[in-house]
Amino acid sequence: MAELQEVQITEEKPLLPGQTPEVAKTHSVETPYGSVTFTVYGTPKPKRPAILTYHDVGLNYKSCFKPLFQFADMQEIIQNFVRVHVDAPGMEEGAPVFPLGYQYPSLDQLADMIPCILQYLNFSTIIGVGVGAGAYVLSRYALTHPDTVEGLVLINIDPNAKGWMDWAAHKLTGLTSSIPEMILGHLFSQEELSGNSELIQKYRNIITHAPNLENIELYWNSYNNRRDLNFERGSDITLKCPVMLVVGDQAPHEDAVVECNSKLDPTQTSFLKMADSGGQPQLTQPGKLTEAFKYFLQGMGYMASSCMTRLSRSRTASLTSAASLDGNRSRSRTVSQSSESGHLPSGPPGHTMEVSC
């Protein structure tokens, strides 16, 4: 392992009663594909994996995950797991702009950087949480290192390479839209962009005025040049660990996530479609995603004594069986809920759980 830099930072955020400030340690390590920066919160817990996150294009770990991990009900989870937030190369705060002609790593190579991180930290297993391009990176890593991944939460994953029609549309869009606008169209639905809410204005400003916009474009290009993950149900090319797929209703990647769900092992996969969450449910619905994450962890055998959050109290839900998305798929359990309430039960073995919440 080559050079390592370490910076200790006290995270500034509102504290809950009795809560002490989290200390974040930021590291930068050299890998065969360049330097990668990651930030560690907490201390390793015996016989528990680390939670490792990977962000989407146009974001870094803070802008992608801060609302989720600072949500009040998430505190019970983060007290039980050490977590590692990875910034893609050149996406960390204060990152210098790469020189002209710099060869940015492919998404496959970004996945190959993760073993260097785990080796340095001496972590043996992880639960991955990825969004968009980050979900792809973690999936690629899980395919090549299945023994080190205990579970995956994949938000807005598109496991497919771009086809010719996609490329043509992308090129045409590039003639009339700026890089920031194309990335915003990747992150948020057209309805959200048209509504121009405070959230959209905030992220449009972040991306448009990013000092490392040239680096962001390189990450964007790598995402658009991704290879097909070639998931196939019943084959050796599939995710072997428990997986929770998450997408917002009417999100840009809704169809891709539905297709991904149809290709994964239904005994290991739960599918969470979140109403009223737009393109980035970890930003817009951190409470619901936190509760779903707790159920996911409980299904893996962790936090068995955890109390569910206030979101799960005094709720009603109607349980109906829904037909499979393809002929070979098992029958699914669907929980129909309003956007304000609902219960997120663990699906039984042998079923893919589809949840609207």
Side-chain angles (χ1 to χ4, degrees), residues 182-195:
M182 287 193 289
I183 292 175
L184 285 166
H186 160 79
L187 295 174
F188 300 100
S189 68
Q190 287 304 310
E191 182 179 355
E192 289 177 287
L193 294 174
S194 298

Side-chain angles (χ1 to χ4, degrees), residues 13-287:
K13 63 182 182 181
L15 299 177
L16 299 175
Q19 186 182 356
T20 56
E22 280 194 291
V23 176
K25 293 185 177 180
T26 298
H27 313 266
S28 181
V29 297
E30 290 295 329
T31 77
Y33 305 105
S35 178
V36 61
T37 298
F38 53 96
T39 303
V40 181
Y41 287 85
T43 56
K45 305 299 189 291
K47 299 181 179 179
R48 291 203 172 187
I51 293 174
L52 185 144
T53 72
Y54 214 112
H55 62 86
D56 203 353
V57 175
L59 309 174
N60 57 30
Y61 93 81
K62 287 187 177 179
S63 57
C64 189
F65 291 108
K66 190 174 181 180
L68 177 63
F69 283 94
Q70 288 193 355
F71 190 76
D73 292 329
M74 178 62 78
Q75 304 314 303
E76 184 179 8
I77 294 177
I78 66 177
Q79 289 169 8
N80 282 277
F81 295 89
V82 63
R83 68 188 195 274
V84 182
H85 296 289
V86 181
D87 279 316
M91 304 303 126
E92 67 274 13
E93 290 184 344
V97 174
F98 290 122
L100 190 65
Y102 176 80
Q103 184 62 47
Y104 197 81
S106 67
L107 294 196
D108 290 8
Q109 291 169 336
L110 293 180
D112 289 339
M113 291 179 169
I114 294 176
C116 298
I117 297 172
L118 300 185
Q119 180 182 348
Y120 169 73
L121 295 172
N122 197 28
F123 292 170
S124 56
T125 60
I126 64 168
I127 295 171
V129 181
V131 181
Y136 180 103
V137 169
L138 292 178
S139 296
R140 176 63 71 185
Y141 172 75
L143 288 175
T144 54
H145 299 82
D147 293 340
T148 67
V149 182
E150 293 194 24
L152 288 173
V153 178
L154 304 176
I155 304 171
N156 296 337
I157 184 171
D158 187 344
N160 303 314
K162 279 187 174 293
W164 287 109
M165 294 297 291
D166 297 318
W167 268 113
H170 178 72
K171 293 296 183 183
L172 288 173
T173 302
L175 296 176
T176 58
S177 302
S178 65
I179 292 296
E181 288 302 320
M182 287 193 289
I183 292 175
L184 285 166
H186 160 79
L187 295 174
F188 300 100
S189 68
Q190 287 304 310
E191 182 179 355
E192 289 177 287
L193 294 174
S194 298
N196 200 31
S197 66
E198 184 177 338
L199 178 73
I200 298 300
Q201 293 177 40
K202 174 184 176 181
Y203 279 84
R204 178 177 279 117
N205 183 66
I206 288 174
I207 297 170
T208 301
H209 300 290
N212 62 337
L213 185 57
E214 292 91 340
N215 296 356
I216 292 173
E217 183 175 357
L218 294 176
Y219 187 19
W220 175 239
N221 291 338
S222 287
Y223 177 69
N224 287 313
N225 284 291
R226 65 189 180 278
R227 294 193 301 148
D228 199 313
L229 288 174
N230 291 314
F231 290 149
E232 185 177 349
R233 180 170 292 178
S235 76
D236 291 334
I237 306 177
T238 191
L239 298 174
K240 305 296 174 60
C241 62
V243 178
M244 182 169 74
L245 299 175
V246 182
V247 69
D249 195 18
Q250 305 301 317
H253 307 287
E254 181 179 356
D255 291 344
V257 179
V258 169
E259 181 182 351
C260 182
N261 182 48
S262 72
K263 294 180 177 181
L264 296 179
D265 182 354
T267 68
Q268 294 275 57
T269 308
S270 57
F271 178 28
L272 181 65
K273 184 186 289 186
M274 300 184 67
D276 304 321
S277 64
Q280 299 292 310
Q282 81 283 2
L283 301 180
T284 59
Q285 297 285 359

